[in-house]
Amino acid sequence: MTSLDRPHLYIGGEWVTPASADTIAVENPATEEVLGHVPAGTTADVDRAVAAAQAAFAGWAAATDRAAVLDRLHTSLASRAAKIAETVGLELGAPLKIAKAVQAGLPLAVLRSYADLAAQPPAARTIGNSSIEHEPIGVVGAITPWNYPLHQVVAKVAAALAAGCTVVLKPSELTPLVAFLLVDAAEEAGVPAGVLNVVTGTGPVVGAAIAGHPGVDMVSFTGSTATGRAITHAAADRIARVALELGGKSANIILEDADVVRAVKMGVGNAFLNSGQTCTAWTRMLVHRSHYDEAVALAAKTTDGYTVGDPFSPETRLGPLVSRAQRDRVLGFIERATARRVTGNSPVPQVGHFVAPTVFADVDPDSELAQEEIFGPVLSIIPFSSDDEAVAIANNSKYGLAGGVWGSDERALSVARRLRTGQVDLNGGSFNPVAPFGGYKQSGVGRELGEFGLSEFQQVKAIQR
């Protein structure tokens, strides 16, 4: 295989030699082979990137052609859609069908929405004798995760650029290669020098340097709750704004009058999307007791139909987990579980970081299995007897990111409104890339996507006349 080495950082509109010769190996989790290397950035590299972003800020904030630049960026990135899907398939192990539709398709939709918002921003408001102005917050430090490596980058970068901010981006060291495709597209599209800067490296070095940098006006982070907490502390020392999209343990509630077959099949698919490495995954399936046995049997049968293996095989529905450490973590949850295991013995390749999709029934709502974010293909099924009990079980979580409810429209809506979570899908409602995305409780602070995501990167000013 041709090496996918990316030896330089992108700072100030140029590919520059990093301060250190140290590199990070990027692994193919399906084969355990090294795909290539990226720089292990340092605090000196972050300093240089922040300085470039500061120098570019005034010009970009005042630019009248931001919409045109983002439109060209969308065109350039769209021309790389096949390469994006292939790259994510290699460095994350996402099955090619998912890589094309979600890993490549969703960031393009999000970028398109921000190009449109830059062209037609939300209408200005007048309140009494005050006109309300929206201004870019400044230099944004964007720290993104490995599970949706381009979507999470675009959700932050496109919003920040549309708002008039400049960006220092640290992609995940596990899946950094696809971020370089965005930079290639940005160069081709004529994004001005210093507006987008990329420093690869580890969280404890580059991530910490960005979070604590006095020249960074805002930190936007997606990842674990523990890391989000540390970033908040680092930013608090200088009273910098923080936007956090963190963990989830979402409940999928199947009410007494639901279409059980459809609810279970779609629920299993949601839980196992991206090998379960999805923060919004419906990993708790709550089923009314009148349908419980049927749902358990159907979930097991559906799960047993999943083919696990080579992400580039058209038959594969479940790829590997991103790393050996992640695989071992997920296996630990499975081994410690005391609930009834109804399936989870599908054959998996001996090479690669694979885990068989696993379903547990009769799960205690207070158990580790039902409370902790596992981030792998593990589904917990929990019975309930009433709508009130379903709501209580669903809200019995430190997280509140997403969820689903199945039942007659008014009943499902009534339950959805009682859930302490940022998003709820009714009867399989589809994801909306311009609706606000974010969570309650320890699932984060702030919102991404659409005009709500745009506003996160803006200051609000009142001018009285």
Side-chain angles (χ1 to χ4, degrees):
M1 176 185 291
T2 303
S3 173
L4 300 180
D5 285 352
R6 287 285 196 157
H8 298 101
L9 303 174
Y10 190 71
I11 298 175
E14 298 179 342
W15 293 103
V16 303
T17 301
S20 168
D22 293 341
T23 62
I24 296 171
V26 183
E27 183 191 48
N28 180 334
T31 65
E32 302 183 49
E33 297 173 333
V34 173
L35 295 168
H37 297 79
V38 299
T42 66
T43 55
D45 295 314
V46 172
D47 288 341
R48 188 175 177 183
V50 172
Q54 288 177 311
F57 172 66
W60 183 246
T64 58
D65 65 342
R66 293 201 299 265
V69 172
L70 287 170
D71 187 69
R72 294 196 302 269
L73 178 58
H74 180 270
T75 299
S76 296
L77 195 63
S79 72
R80 293 166 167 80
K83 187 64 175 177
I84 290 167
E86 178 188 11
T87 302
V88 177
L90 288 170
E91 65 180 343
L92 177 62
L96 198 55
K97 182 178 179 181
I98 297 298
K100 289 178 178 178
V102 180
Q103 299 285 3
L106 183 56
L108 287 170
V110 171
L111 178 54
R112 177 72 267 157
S113 73
Y114 280 116
D116 293 343
L117 271 172
Q120 292 186 310
R125 294 182 63 195
T126 299
I127 302 175
N129 67 322
S130 303
S131 59
I132 311 303
E133 307 287 339
H134 292 83
E135 300 177 349
I137 197 167
V139 174
V140 173
I143 304 173
T144 58
W146 47 262
N147 59 329
Y148 290 89
L150 184 60
H151 166 61
Q152 297 287 2
V153 166
V154 168
K156 300 180 189 306
V157 170
L161 266 54
C165 299
T166 55
V167 177
V168 177
L169 167 67
K170 189 204 92 68
S172 169
E173 61 269 33
L174 294 176
T175 55
L177 298 175
V178 74
F180 285 95
L181 297 181
L182 176 65
V183 178
D184 293 341
E187 274 201 309
E188 183 177 272
V191 174
V195 170
L196 173 61
N197 308 274
V198 178
V199 180
T200 53
T202 66
V205 177
V206 174
I210 290 173
H213 201 289
V216 172
D217 300 292
M218 174 184 176
V219 181
S220 181
F221 170 77
T222 297
S224 73
T225 299
T227 303
R229 188 177 295 115
I231 285 172
T232 301
H233 281 288
D237 287 341
R238 63 181 191 285
I239 321 297
R241 185 184 296 184
V242 174
L244 305 173
E245 197 269 283
L246 307 175
K249 192 69 179 179
S250 300
N252 181 31
I253 301 173
I254 303 175
L255 299 172
E256 189 175 8
D257 57 357
D259 179 340
V260 177
V261 173
R262 185 164 176 260
V264 171
K265 287 184 176 180
M266 287 192 68
V268 169
N270 182 291
F272 295 158
L273 177 65
N274 209 37
S275 298
Q277 299 170 129
T278 302
C279 55
T280 57
W282 299 341
T283 52
R284 294 182 295 158
M285 181 179 287
L286 280 51
V287 185
H288 191 272
R289 290 187 184 276
S290 63
H291 300 299
Y292 186 73
D293 291 341
E294 176 189 3
V296 170
L298 183 56
K301 181 180 179 180
T302 302
T303 299
D304 287 339
Y306 275 67
T307 302
V308 182
D310 177 10
F312 290 89
S313 168
E315 289 78 31
T316 296
R317 294 190 65 187
L318 216 64
L321 299 187
V322 72
S323 66
R324 181 179 299 275
Q326 184 63 17
R327 181 200 65 184
D328 292 347
R329 180 179 182 275
V330 172
L331 289 175
F333 280 104
I334 293 172
E335 291 164 2
R336 291 191 301 272
T338 57
R340 175 165 59 101
R341 182 170 169 174
V342 297
T343 191
N345 299 311
S346 301
V348 299
Q350 295 304 300
V351 176
H353 310 313
F354 295 91
V355 172
T358 304
V359 177
F360 289 94
D362 309 337
V363 175
D364 180 347
D366 294 318
S367 67
E368 178 186 66
L369 206 60
Q371 289 292 320
E372 296 301 322
E373 185 177 41
I374 297 172
F375 232 58
V378 180
L379 174 64
S380 299
I381 307 181
I382 303 169
F384 66 86
S385 299
S386 67
D387 292 3
D388 287 346
E389 185 183 12
V391 170
I393 294 172
N395 287 339
N396 176 31
S397 173
K398 62 187 174 185
Y399 300 115
L401 188 57
V405 184
W406 300 78
S408 59
D409 289 346
E410 288 305 314
R411 186 174 183 180
L413 179 60
S414 176
V415 169
R417 284 174 168 158
R418 297 167 64 191
L419 300 182
R420 299 284 295 165
T421 187
Q423 284 200 344
V424 186
D425 298 344
L426 299 185
N427 295 311
S430 59
F431 183 77
N432 183 353
V434 296
F437 180 85
Y440 292 17
K441 299 182 279 188
Q442 292 189 29
S443 284
V445 177
R447 293 294 182 267
E448 292 186 330
L449 305 182
E451 64 181 84
F452 300 90
L454 184 71
S455 67
E456 290 290 336
F457 297 95
Q458 295 174 322
Q459 294 279 22
V460 181
K461 176 183 291 182
I463 298 178
Q464 281 67 245
R465 299 178 187 273

